[in-house]
Amino acid sequence: MSATPTIASKSLAILGAAPRFPSVLHVGRPNVGNRERLLARLNDMLDRRWFSNDGPFVHEFEAKVAEISQTKHCVAMCNATVALEIAIRALEMSGEVIIPSYTFVATAHALQWQEITPVFADIDAATCTIDPHSIERVISSKTTGILGVHLWGRACDTEAIDGIGRRHGLKVMYDAAHALACSHHGRRVGGFGECEVFSFHATKFINAFEGGAIVTNNDDLARRLRFMRNFGFAGYDNVRYLGVNGKMTEACAAMGITSLESIDEIVQVNQEHYEAYERCLAGIPGVSLIRYDKRESNNYQYIVLEIDPEVAPLDRDEVVAVFHAENVLARKYFWPGCHRMEPYRSLQPNAHLLLPVTERVASRICLLPTGQAIDTAMIATMADILEAAFQSAGEVKDALRRSTGGHEASNHEA
Ligand code: T4K
C-alpha cells in the first residue's frame, strides 16, 4: 500500500462522506452493441411479421454461435436455465447428478425442477471449478450424470471429468453460461461432454436480452433438442416427444446477433479493464484477482477479487459494504453456495461437510463491475476506495458495527 492515500479516509461514504460515484455502478451492466443495427433488425422483424418459432434471426444467431464454439449444432433457447433443463432431459439424466455447489443456483434448480437430486461436489481452490476427486467421492448407485460449470469462463478439468464419466457410465455435460469464446487447451468451449449450455442473459458479455443455447456435435441429440424446445412438435400436428416452450424470440436473436458483431471490441474492453484492475490493485494486501490463463482465449467478463481475511484488514463482507456505500454494487457471487440455499439446505443439511473449499472460497469472493458501461478512471477510483478503506479499517469496522447495531454484516446470513 502506498504511504499517502489518494483519497483521505474522511472521504469514505461509509464514514459519512458523499458517495464517490453519484450513480450506481452494477456488476453485469449490459453491453449494448451497435444501436442502429439493432434497430434496423427490429424493423426488419416487424416488417416480416415473424416474431418467434425458428425465425431467420434465430437461424443466423445459431450459425454464429456454432462457429464461435466450433461445434456442429447450436440450438438457441429462451434462456440458459430452460436450456439446462431441456439438455438434462434430452440426455435422460435421472436419480442423482453431480454438480458443484459453487455456481449460480440455476444449475442446481434445473435438476431439482425435474426431481433429479443435485449432489454437490467440492471445487478446486485454484480454478474454482468442480474437483474431479470430489466427484469420485460422491458417486453412488443412483448417479446418472455430471454437470460441470466453467466458472468465470475458466474451463473445468474436462479430461479428468470425461474419464470419470466413461469409467462409471455417466453422462457428462457442461454449464458454459460464462464461457462463450473461452478455450481449454486451445479448444473452444462448446464441444466438451455431450453438450454445453451458454447464457445470453442481459448480464452476460454477449447478450440477447434473455437467451440461452445448447451446443453439441451429436446430430441425434441436436435433433431431439430442437423438438423438445418446441413442445415436441416434428411438423404440423405431429408431436414426437414430451416438450416445452424453450424458443428464442426473433427480437432476442436480433440483439444476440448485434452483440456478437461487437464481440472482439467487448473482449478487448474487458481485457483492458482486467489489466487496469490488476495494476490498480497490485500491492493492496490480502486482495488478489483471479487469473485467466493467457495461453487460452478468455472473455474477461468477470472481475473476481479474493479477499484473504488473514491478511486483509477488512473481510469480504466489510469490503462489499464499503463499495455499496460508494454506489458500487459489488456482488458476492456465488455465496453462500447452492447447498446453503433452499430447498437444498433443508433437503441436504449435511452437504457442507463435504464442501470445505466451496465454503472458504464463497466467503472470500467479491465481484466488481466491468464492460462497456465503465472506464479505467472508474477502476482507479474503486481501487482508491479499497486502499482508503483498508487504511481506515478500524473506523470502517466501528461504523459497520454501529450501523448493524452490533450484529456484524457477515458471511453467516445463511
Ligand atoms: N448457470 C450459470 C453459471 C449462471 O451464472 C447463470 C446465470 C445461469 C446458469 C442461468 O442463465 P439464464 O437462465 O439467466 O440465462 C444474474 C443473472 O440474472 C443471471 O443470468 C446470471 N447467471 C447471474 C450470475 O447473475 P442475479 O440474480 O444476480 O440478477 P440481478 O437482477 O441482481 O442482476 C445482476 C446485476 O446486473 C444487477 O446489479 C443489475 C444489473 N443489470 C441487470 C439486468 C437484468 C442491469 O444493469 N441491467 C439489466 O438489464 O442473476
Side-chain angles (χ1 to χ4, degrees), residues 143-163:
T143 311
T144 59
I146 304 169
L147 202 181
V149 180
H150 303 309
L151 204 83
W152 319 133
R154 301 191 304 179
C156 296
D157 183 348
T158 56
E159 295 76 14
I161 295 170
D162 288 352

Side-chain angles (χ1 to χ4, degrees), residues 132-294:
H133 300 293
S134 179
I135 294 177
E136 301 256 25
R137 283 196 283 274
V138 295
I139 291 176
S140 79
S141 58
K142 294 191 195 138
T143 311
T144 59
I146 304 169
L147 202 181
V149 180
H150 303 309
L151 204 83
W152 319 133
R154 301 191 304 179
C156 296
D157 183 348
T158 56
E159 295 76 14
I161 295 170
D162 288 352
I164 297 171
R166 266 195 309 279
R167 281 198 302 285
H168 295 270
L170 306 174
K171 296 269 171 58
V172 173
M173 63 171 281
Y174 293 97
D175 177 338
H178 301 176
L180 182 77
C182 296
S183 71
H184 179 49
H185 296 161
R187 202 174 128 198
R188 278 288 167 94
V189 166
F192 297 104
E194 303 275 348
C195 65
E196 307 209 46
V197 172
F198 295 122
S199 169
F200 298 99
H201 181 258
T203 54
K204 298 294 180 279
F205 88 111
I206 294 297
N207 84 85
F209 300 134
E210 284 271 5
I214 306 173
V215 289
T216 181
N217 289 314
N218 180 327
D219 300 342
D220 183 52
L221 177 62
R223 199 174 47 83
R224 274 180 291 136
L225 292 168
R226 287 187 186 284
F227 291 140
M228 288 173 122
R229 84 167 165 191
N230 186 27
F231 314 100
F233 274 109
Y236 288 147
D237 312 321
N238 176 18
V239 173
R240 210 182 279 172
Y241 291 94
L242 174 63
V244 71
N245 184 353
K247 290 175 269 110
M248 176 180 267
T249 66
E250 284 290 277
C252 288
M255 182 58 172
I257 296 164
T258 311
S259 241
L260 284 172
E261 283 170 347
S262 300
I263 190 166
D264 293 339
E265 199 183 304
I266 298 171
V267 171
Q268 193 186 333
V269 167
N270 279 351
Q271 183 167 359
E272 281 167 14
H273 287 353
Y274 177 86
E275 287 164 1
Y277 272 111
E278 226 175 7
R279 281 193 305 277
C280 293
L281 296 171
I284 301 185
V287 177
S288 53
L289 205 51
I290 65 146
R291 305 256 157 232
Y292 294 105
D293 185 340
K294 296 214 162 68

Side-chain angles (χ1 to χ4, degrees), residues 26-30 80-81 104 175 177-178 199 201 203-204 331 333:
H26 292 277
V27 172
R29 200 76 169 149
T81 307
F104 189 58
D175 177 338
H178 301 176
S199 169
H201 181 258
T203 54
K204 298 294 180 279
R331 298 295 298 257
Y333 293 134

